[in-house]
Every structure is written in C-alpha cells, then in structure tokens.
Amino acid sequence: TDWTPEHHEAIIIGGGQAGLATAYYLLRSGVDTLVLDNQPNPGGGWLHVWPSLRLFSTAEFSNLPGWPMPPYDGFPPACHVVDYLAAYERRYRIPVQRPVTVNEVIYEKGTYHVWAGTKSWTTENVVAATGTWSAPFVPSHPGTFAGTQWHSANYPGTTPFRSTTVAVVGGANSGAQIAAELTSVAEVTWYTRQPPRWMPDEVDGRVLFRRNRLRALALQRGEPDPGTDSALGDIVVLPEVRRARDTGRLQATPMFTSLDEIDADHLIWCTGFRSAIGPIRRLLDHGRPKHPGLHVVGYGDWTGPGAATITGVGPYAKQAARRIAASVGRTVK
Ligand code: FAD
C-alpha cells in the first residue's frame, strides 16, 4: 500500500483570520499551501463568542489583507466577521481542510511531519495560527466555590443567569461587557484587581490598533517598545457598557482573596486566554521556533504587537509568508 504522506510546501495549522491572512500571501506568490482547521465551518474563534459580542471598532478598521471587511452600520457582531472570513476563504480559493485537529508536529532532518490522529502530511514550512479561544485561562485561587463556574469562552448570553446572583471576574473588556449586560437580568458583583480603566467615551478600539501599530514600528526600527500602557485606559466604553456604568448598575468591587468569600449562584471568569500551541509546544524555546521553517502568527504580544487583531495581523502574516516564499525560491508581492 502507498502510505507516503501528502506533501505541501507550506502547511498552516488554524483557519481563523491569522491562518487565512498568511495563506493569502503564500498563495499569491504561488506557494503550494494547505490549511488544516479543527472547526466544522469557517470563522475561527469568532464562531465561539457570546451572542451579544460586537467588535470594538467599526468595519472599516477591521480589514484583512487584500479585501476589506464589507460595510456595517455601527459595531459589527461576530456573525459579520464569520461571514467575512467565509467569503474571504472563497474569494481567494484558500484550500482549508475541516474538521482536522492537528495533535502533533514532529521535526526530522528539515522536514515537519504534521499529525492529525492517524493521518499525516509532510512539509518544510509550518505556520502555527491556532489562536487562543481553545485555551481559556483561569487563575488559581484558594478556597472553593459551590455554584456554577463559567469562562467568557463559553458564556452563553444572559438566559441561564436570569434572577440569579453572579460574580464576574476580570477588569478588561470581556469582564466589563459581560458584567454590564448581566446587570439588567441578575444581581452582579464585578470583581477587578484594580479600579477599571475606562477609555474616554468618544474613542473606540481604533486607538488600541494605533497604539499597537506604533509599537510594531518602533520594534521594527530597533527602538525600545513604547509598551501597552497608556493614559487612555483599556476598556472600550461600548454603548451598553456606558449605560450600565452611568446608571450606577456597573460598579467594580476589589478582587477577593479566596473563593470562599464569593456568595453567588454563578462565577464567570473573564480572565483571558493562553496561546493554543499544544501541537508545536515542543518545537518552541521560550516562544521562539527551534528550527527553520516554523512560524507563529497571531496569538498576541509574544509574536508581535497587534498580531491578534483582525487589522493588525496582516504585516505578521506577510512577514511569515515572505520567509517561506524565499525558502522555496519565490517572492511575496
Ligand atoms: P482564531 O480565530 O482562534 O483561529 C484559530 C483557528 O485554529 C480556530 O479555528 C481554532 O479552532 C483552530 N485550531 C486551534 N487549534 C487547532 C489544532 N490543534 N488543529 C487545527 N486547528 C486548530 N480583534 C479585533 O480586531 N477586533 C475586536 O473587536 C476584537 N474583539 C475581541 C473580543 C474578544 C472577547 C476576544 C477574546 C478577542 C477579540 N479580538 C478582537 C481579538 C482577535 O481578533 C480574535 O481573538 C481572533 O479570533 C484571533 O484570530 P486567530 O486567527 O489568531 O485565532
């Protein structure tokens, strides 16, 4: 029997925005590329956000390379992003196989073996673009909590929380948004480690994108990182958040020290995510690829400022594609 694994010049693990943007540049330069994604449908992490989630910037500031996000009146909901990613994939005929869960990548003498169960592929170039949604982070605390625990990664909207008491943990955007919407149906205690840092009402996520862009450019020039911190704060005051805050419904409570202190039916952790790098973990050393031909795109600050945003991922996708194209004798246009 012929069991030689299928070979491609580049294999991208993850078919969210980061994977698609990288595929866009690779395909444009004629690199034979395959994308493996474990979701049943296009959309990446955006398939899993809570029902009321909206982008914190308008459509014209949420563009992938090549083809801008279709217009939307106001802040687009996640389904608008999902539709955009699905259309982007079709438009550029990006070859994505679904659902395929890559469980391990092994490096051997210049070749990567990409394994999904009993199936495998070979390639000289792997792009990890697996995002963070599948790796929700919960900090450890002493004590026990008797109620039901959730994470913003699986928060289903307000229905299960009606007329209950809810503790929401986390002082960033997801905590503020989820706590704000729950205040209209439940009794909410919003725990934050420090007082919430609201951005001015008139600015939206665009200022974060601009800040990221300035950081990326400074690093590129070899200058010191100006940092993520800003006098502007970090919670984008979306309309529902603003209403809840200004009517006094949304107020922060200092962080508990033990879970025993929480008296609530539900506890929702809005404490962020880690990178879902399971399949390539052993090929990284302090976040850096150990061998040539492995690239990480998306994720967040350890790969580059703004790399985890729709509009920010483009330059990193291009950089990875450029290196891969050069290694197989082509150039990225
Ligand atoms: P993902 O979208 O997660 O895509 C990765 C894909 O890889 C997924 O389909 C995943 O299932 C798959 N995968 C994972 N592991 C494997 C594996 N082993 N094998 C095969 N496939 C695998 N950004 C903005 O620009 N604007 C916003 O308004 C905004 N709002 C956000 C709100 C929240 C609450 C959060 C958490 C993030 C937000 N972001 C926003 C940030 C960012 O745009 C998203 O997190 C985005 O989904 C990241 O895209 P990605 O392609 O890097 O990862």
Side-chain angles (χ1 to χ4, degrees), residues 13-19 36-39 41 43-50 53-57 61-62 85 100-103 129-134 152 174 177 209 273 276 279 297-299 307-313:
I13 310 169
Q17 65 203 31
L36 302 174
D37 183 58
N38 63 6
Q39 298 302 299
N41 303 302
W46 295 104
L47 295 166
H48 299 287
V49 299
W50 58 92
L53 180 113
R54 288 179 179 269
L55 294 189
F56 50 42
S57 55
F61 294 96
S62 309
L85 295 183
V100 176
T101 302
V102 173
N103 44 285
T130 48
T132 58
W133 288 103
S134 53
S152 62
S174 56
Q177 287 176 33
F209 301 152
F273 297 83
V297 180
Y299 302 109
T309 64
I310 304 172
T311 198
V313 74

Side-chain angles (χ1 to χ4, degrees), residues 49-295:
V49 299
W50 58 92
S52 66
L53 180 113
R54 288 179 179 269
L55 294 189
F56 50 42
S57 55
T58 50
E60 61 275 31
F61 294 96
S62 309
N63 298 324
L64 290 175
W67 182 53
M69 179 178 276
Y72 187 91
D73 195 11
F75 296 105
C79 61
H80 191 70
V81 187
V82 170
D83 291 347
Y84 173 45
L85 295 183
Y88 189 88
E89 243 179 79
R90 284 195 303 273
R91 183 185 179 94
Y92 295 112
R93 297 199 178 82
I94 300 177
V96 187
Q97 281 191 25
R98 291 194 175 88
V100 176
T101 302
V102 173
N103 44 285
E104 188 158 26
V105 180
I106 293 167
Y107 178 81
E108 205 178 43
K109 299 189 191 105
T111 299
Y112 290 94
H113 298 258
V114 177
W115 283 93
T118 54
K119 199 163 169 19
S120 74
W121 294 260
T122 54
T123 184
E124 284 71 49
N125 295 288
V126 169
V127 178
T130 48
T132 58
W133 288 103
S134 53
F137 172 71
V138 175
S140 72
H141 285 280
T144 49
F145 175 71
T148 314
Q149 297 196 45
W150 308 74
H151 189 279
S152 62
N154 62 14
Y155 167 68
T158 57
T159 311
F161 305 97
R162 280 176 199 279
S163 310
T164 66
T165 48
V166 187
V168 177
V169 184
N173 281 289
S174 56
Q177 287 176 33
I178 289 173
E181 79 168 3
L182 283 172
T183 58
S184 54
V185 302
E187 197 183 305
V188 177
T189 311
W190 180 33
Y191 292 98
T192 65
R193 273 191 308 200
Q194 27 179 324
R197 293 164 25 98
W198 309 106
M199 290 172 62
D201 291 358
E202 69 283 4
V203 305
D204 64 25
R206 265 177 298 168
V207 302
L208 300 177
F209 301 152
R210 212 172 306 126
R211 193 194 297 170
N212 284 330
R213 188 81 199 113
L214 292 176
R215 292 181 61 210
L217 289 172
L219 293 173
Q220 236 170 46
R221 287 193 297 259
E223 293 165 11
D225 183 350
T228 48
D229 222 22
S230 145
L232 265 181
D234 28 41
I235 301 176
V236 182
V237 186
L238 291 172
E240 174 139 25
V241 172
R242 178 199 269 188
R243 264 194 305 278
R245 183 197 61 184
D246 292 352
T247 55
R249 283 187 285 133
L250 181 62
Q251 281 179 9
T253 301
M255 193 61 195
F256 50 82
T257 47
S258 159
L259 293 172
D260 297 331
E261 292 165 43
I262 305 171
D263 180 19
D265 302 315
H266 299 274
L267 169 55
I268 307 176
W269 298 99
C270 300
T271 39
F273 297 83
R274 293 293 183 255
S275 301
I277 47 158
I280 57 149
R281 191 180 303 276
R282 284 195 273 165
L283 300 175
L284 296 177
D285 184 14
H286 293 91
R288 305 230 167 261
K290 286 187 194 163
H291 312 288
L294 175 62
H295 305 267

